[in-house]
Amino acid sequence: MAMTDPISADRTAMKVSDEVAIEITKMNKWYGQFHVLRDIDLTVYRGERIVICGPSGSGKSTLIRCINALEEHQAGSIVVDGTTLSSDLKNIDKIRSEVGMCFQHFNLFPHLTILENCTLAPIWVRKTPRKEAEDTAMHFLEKVKIPDQANKYPGQLSGGQQQRVAIARSLCMRPRIMLFDEPTSALDPEMIKEVLDTMIELAEEGMTMLCVTHEMGFARQVANRVIFMDAGQIVEQNEPEEFFNNPKSDRTQLFLSQILGH
Amino acid sequence: MSDTHAQTVAFVRETQIPPAPPPTMETGAIKWVRENLFSGWANTLLTLVSIYFIYQLATFVLPWVLNGVWNTSSLSECRDVLQGVTGGCFSVLTDRWNQLLFGFQYPSEFYWRPSLAFVLLFLAAAPVLFFDLPRKLLIFTGLYPFIAYWLIWGGTILAPILALLGFVVGYFVFQRFVKESFAMGFFGAIVAAFLTWWLGGYVVDAVASEDTLLTAVPSRDMGGFMLNMILGTVCVSLSLPFGILLALGRQSDMPIIKWICVVFIEFIRGVPLITLLFVANVVLAYFLPPGTTFDLILRVIIMITMFASAYIAEVIRGGLAALPKGQYEAADSLGLDYPQAMRLIILPQALKISIPGIVNVAVGLFKDTTLVSVISMFDLVGMIRGPILASTDWNGVYWELFSFAALLFFIVCYGISQYSQWLERRLATDHR
């Protein structure tokens, strides 16, 4: 197998504004008696690319799933785009349509074609006319480089293609924030690159991104902030250079030595 | 790998081997017969024994069918014709054909009305069953229940129109209020529909004249296979939506809805259908205010529908449980609300998984409609057991009559089964 090209991203194009996109304060979450997330404080500015890493069970997936209310939190507050997350269903749907999400297992709808996967939410949630929604969908499918698969079903595509469709599906809702929950963990090494390339392109366009991933190369190249979580807490956060070359906490050093050590 | 063998093991293929046909003994019918019928002494023995039994069965059944008598008017006449030779007295079918199909009380000059309703049933069912057909045909499907009711029962045309009107009013009320809240739209629609029917009932009573276009036929005159078809079609088409609602209700986060559904499903499933039918026949009358005439067929339809929807709910719950949680999450994360997520994402997949189970219930339900014969309704089996076998002309013709009933039910049930297999193939998009 040929070595994959080192990931290259045009950092100069990625600007961070001082407008706040997500504001999480004192957020706590329990599964029954189990304290999953403890006093999470996190401010994400528009245009930031944040990579969240940490050992499994550290609560990183739970954290980003709280942001679009796939999981509910029990204490503290989450403000997304100026809307406070509460149990009011109207607010939740509003936030969800502003925040795109990609899952580890893609979660495409297997009974719909690729194009229908992409147009479904715009048509039913945004009330976009079908023709317009299809044009948008084709635009984003071209962007993730699979317009020729538009009339196939998800089951006919490779894993990498499916994940790119999932990204396109989220983009069709024109989200202002994208969440990625281990988008490459279920993929073959060859397919990881095509998905990461798509994500880099997205970052270069100034999308605000929160990404749970173990792709440290991606974190180094694209992220402007890396967050390390352990046992439900944010243990360390820093710019990638500092984070990788000069980790402060013991736990971070141990984690990095284990994932980079071979 | 060690380097020792690196020189000797190295191999590079430079040409592709062209594809070649398999040896002739390994293809076609010869291969099939050899592999499946005579692959060893045990299999060969089984094949020969099977052929012997098939031969015995054929020598018994074939003369009975082929020597059958089709045009006598009583059993004794038929026996005279046969003169001791093996042969079926199928003339009972031709002699009592109309009774078998329509019962013995439905006025013979109106047989065309249920027949027409039967033919129209295919037209109405087509766009539902074959969704490649133009969607506009669904308008007729929506109107069909009212047309069919009017054709079969006759009477004033105002009654079905009023029933239709109730649904239309309910629909508009739902559309008006659903934007504010789903519950408000839902219950508002139900109240509006019942209000329409209640008020309209007085108007229809006042306006309707005795002299109607189609003469009214009372429910107690319905019978024969027509009754099975009415009960089967109505109950299957009603129990599917009710079953879906019950299955969703059972998964609901709202405790009251959840427990109502759980109790309903568990209770109905735990009770034999026959007892429910007896309840419909006898007991319901005690609970109703004296003097109300609550149509027996309607009561039976309600009971069978309740029974079947409890089963279908459990089948669909299995389908819902089989869906990965990610599908719910993906639908949520795109901002779809609950009704949209259910209608567009969850139910299409869950129902597809549940097709074999739903068809199983539907086929069983259709056959169970013959149980109404025990509450003295004269459906196909009731007709055979009652008026036909009890008559002096045809006393003792069991085989021919029950074979005919079995054949009729088999044709319908096999048709349903074949359709469902086609549907499963048509909906297969996951390429597993």
Side-chain angles (χ1 to χ4, degrees):
Chain A
M1 189 183 93
M3 284 293 291
T4 47
D5 299 330
I7 295 160
S8 59
D10 182 7
R11 281 185 156 276
T12 54
M14 301 188 262
K15 286 207 188 65
V16 177
S17 78
D18 48 7
E19 185 191 343
V20 175
I22 304 172
E23 176 91 70
I24 303 177
T25 33
K26 291 272 169 231
M27 196 260 280
N28 280 273
K29 176 173 175 58
W30 288 264
Y31 284 129
Q33 290 297 311
F34 181 57
H35 203 168
V36 211
L37 293 176
R38 307 176 190 179
D39 277 350
I40 303 287
D41 284 299
L42 179 65
T43 306
V44 181
Y45 295 95
R46 192 156 302 295
E48 273 203 292
R49 291 89 45 201
I50 295 181
V51 162
I52 305 172
C53 59
S56 64
S58 59
K60 43 194 196 315
S61 286
T62 313
L63 171 61
I64 68 165
R65 287 156 62 88
C66 280
I67 294 172
N68 70 349
L70 285 182
E71 306 274 359
E72 53 180 340
H73 56 284
Q74 279 87 35
S77 81
I78 301 177
V79 182
V80 181
D81 258 344
T83 314
T84 308
L85 255 184
S86 60
S87 54
D88 186 358
L89 284 168
K90 287 221 167 73
N91 262 348
I92 290 181
D93 281 340
K94 181 170 180 293
I95 287 176
R96 281 173 178 165
S97 59
E98 300 293 330
V99 180
M101 173 123 185
C102 288
F103 301 86
Q104 181 178 359
H105 295 288
F106 332 133
N107 296 350
L108 294 178
F109 305 129
H111 62 301
L112 301 175
T113 63
I114 300 306
L115 189 64
E116 287 166 342
N117 263 280
C118 293
T119 56
L120 183 104
I123 289 175
W124 290 95
V125 180
R126 291 253 193 274
K127 314 289 178 206
T128 317
R130 177 172 296 274
K131 184 77 190 65
E132 199 186 316
E134 281 177 359
D135 290 345
T136 314
M138 285 314 290
H139 167 75
F140 283 112
L141 285 174
E142 263 161 45
K143 214 166 119 79
V144 301
K145 303 190 181 63
I146 26 182
D148 45 330
Q149 316 276 11
N151 291 316
K152 287 192 181 169
Y153 286 95
Q156 293 165 291
L157 268 54
S158 74
Q161 290 175 322
Q162 288 193 44
Q163 191 61 292
R164 284 185 284 152
V165 170
I167 295 174
R169 178 175 74 174
S170 300
L171 292 179
C172 285
M173 287 294 280
R174 307 251 181 214
R176 308 188 66 189
I177 300 164
M178 284 288 290
L179 308 175
F180 293 87
D181 187 1
E182 307 203 22
T184 55
S185 300
L187 296 176
D188 292 343
E190 278 181 289
M191 298 171 181
I192 290 178
K193 185 173 178 293
E194 61 188 50
V195 171
L196 290 182
D197 283 345
T198 311
M199 289 166 65
I200 290 167
E201 221 173 283
L202 210 57
E204 286 171 352
E205 283 166 18
M207 176 67 77
T208 311
M209 292 164 68
L210 267 81
C211 184
V212 173
T213 186
H214 295 117
E215 295 297 328
M216 290 303 136
F218 174 76
R220 221 181 253 278
Q221 293 295 320
V222 180
N224 66 318
R225 191 150 40 126
V226 180
I227 291 178
F228 175 70
M229 285 185 75
D230 187 32
Q233 305 164 74
I234 295 180
V235 174
E236 184 164 350
Q237 52 174 318
N238 213 332
E239 290 181 355
E241 278 306 300
E242 273 293 295
F243 180 85
F244 288 110
N245 299 337
N246 194 10
K248 300 281 184 302
S249 94
D250 297 344
R251 189 69 192 84
T252 316
Q253 286 165 9
L254 182 67
F255 176 74
L256 286 178
S257 72
Q258 272 169 352
I259 60 165
L260 302 172
H262 54 88
Chain B
M1 189 167 41
S2 70
D3 289 332
T4 334
H5 299 294
Q7 293 299 312
T8 50
V9 171
F11 170 74
V12 177
R13 179 174 291 291
E14 270 154 8
T15 52
Q16 283 249 305
I17 300 173
T24 40
M25 279 302 279
E26 294 299 319
T27 53
I30 301 170
K31 172 186 154 85
W32 186 88
V33 167
R34 207 157 49 85
E35 281 192 353
N36 294 291
L37 299 181
F38 303 103
S39 65
W41 67 269
N43 250 351
T44 310
L45 190 68
L46 277 177
T47 305
L48 294 176
V49 170
S50 306
I51 289 174
Y52 175 73
F53 275 109
I54 292 171
Y55 170 77
Q56 286 292 318
L57 198 67
T59 50
F60 176 71
V61 173
L62 279 182
W64 183 69
V65 174
L66 294 177
N67 281 340
V69 178
W70 290 89
N71 48 11
T72 56
S73 60
S74 75
L75 184 59
S76 49
E77 220 174 290
C78 167
R79 290 207 171 122
D80 286 346
V81 174
L82 282 170
Q83 290 179 328
V85 183
T86 312
C89 287
F90 298 111
S91 37
V92 66
L93 304 180
T94 45
D95 189 43
R96 298 297 178 95
W97 180 250
N98 287 326
Q99 288 192 357
L100 287 167
L101 292 191
F102 302 105
F104 64 119
Q105 278 171 320
Y106 202 92
S108 55
E109 64 271 32
F110 301 142
Y111 283 159
W112 65 270
R113 279 161 40 180
S115 310
L116 179 61
F118 180 69
V119 172
L120 291 180
L121 172 65
F122 290 95
L123 211 60
V128 181
L129 300 181
F130 305 99
F131 31 78
D132 293 328
L133 293 172
R135 297 290 81 192
K136 286 222 174 72
L137 289 175
L138 281 173
I139 297 172
F140 178 73
T141 310
L143 293 176
Y144 176 76
F146 309 101
I147 297 171
Y149 171 83
W150 187 54
L151 279 174
I152 295 172
W153 273 267
T156 171
I157 195 170
L158 291 174
I161 288 179
L162 174 66
L164 179 62
L165 198 66
F167 284 108
V168 173
V169 169
Y171 175 77
F172 278 110
V173 170
F174 179 77
Q175 284 293 316
R176 169 69 184 74
F177 287 108
V178 76
K179 286 183 197 93
E180 275 136 69
S181 104
F182 181 78
M184 202 167 145
F186 184 72
F187 291 111
I190 292 178
V191 170
F194 275 98
L195 210 63
T196 314
W197 289 326
W198 183 59
L199 292 176
Y202 289 112
V203 180
V204 170
D205 279 347
V207 176
S209 58
E210 286 299 305
D211 187 29
T212 51
L213 191 56
L214 294 182
T215 314
V217 180
S219 283
R220 63 172 181 278
D221 290 355
M222 307 287 158
F225 193 63
M226 173 181 76
L227 186 57
N228 295 111
M229 283 301 292
I230 293 173
L231 293 176
T233 329
V234 174
C235 294
V236 168
S237 32
L238 286 181
S239 59
L240 191 59
F242 280 117
I244 292 172
L245 289 180
L246 281 171
L248 293 180
R250 196 171 181 163
Q251 293 210 323
S252 170
D253 294 332
M254 287 174 265
I256 297 178
I257 292 182
K258 180 175 176 164
W259 284 108
I260 290 176
C261 293
V262 169
V263 168
F264 178 88
I265 291 171
E266 294 301 334
F267 176 74
I268 297 288
R269 276 202 314 169
V271 176
L273 179 55
I274 293 237
T275 54
L276 289 179
L277 291 177
F278 278 122
V279 168
N281 190 22
V282 187
V283 188
L284 269 188
Y286 292 121
F287 294 107
L288 295 169
T292 42
T293 49
F294 195 51
D295 192 281
L296 179 61
I297 289 190
L298 185 58
R299 280 183 268 166
V300 167
I301 283 176
I302 291 172
M303 285 302 178
I304 299 183
T305 304
M306 276 170 32
F307 190 76
S309 49
Y311 276 87
I312 287 188
E314 286 299 276
V315 169
I316 292 173
R317 191 167 68 96
L320 289 171
L323 277 195
K325 199 159 160 267
Q327 292 292 311
Y328 294 86
E329 288 176 352
D332 283 347
S333 75
L334 286 170
L336 297 170
D337 59 23
Y338 178 81
Q340 287 171 341
M342 287 300 133
R343 191 161 58 89
L344 301 167
I345 308 298
I346 305 303
L347 282 177
Q349 298 183 62
L351 288 178
K352 191 180 99 185
I353 300 172
S354 318
I355 289 173
I358 292 174
V359 169
N360 202 13
V361 174
V363 165
L365 177 152
F366 183 62
K367 291 182 298 179
D368 280 352
T369 57
T370 54
L371 285 175
V372 298
S373 62
V374 299
I375 55 167
S376 56
M377 290 174 86
F378 293 101
D379 75 313
L380 181 58
V381 172
M383 279 309 296
I384 293 173
R385 292 198 328 160
I388 296 178
L389 279 177
S391 68
T392 44
D393 285 347
W394 296 110
N395 193 346
V397 202
Y398 295 98
W399 280 96
E400 291 80 353
L401 284 168
F402 284 111
S403 307
F404 173 69
L407 183 71
L408 266 190
F409 278 98
F410 177 77
I411 289 171
V412 176
C413 294
Y414 187 69
I416 297 174
S417 157
Q418 285 301 302
Y419 166 74
S420 83
Q421 285 181 30
W422 172 84
L423 186 65
E424 277 180 62
R425 281 196 302 275
R426 171 69 175 71
L427 293 178
T429 57
D430 45 1
H431 304 277
R432 267 187 283 201

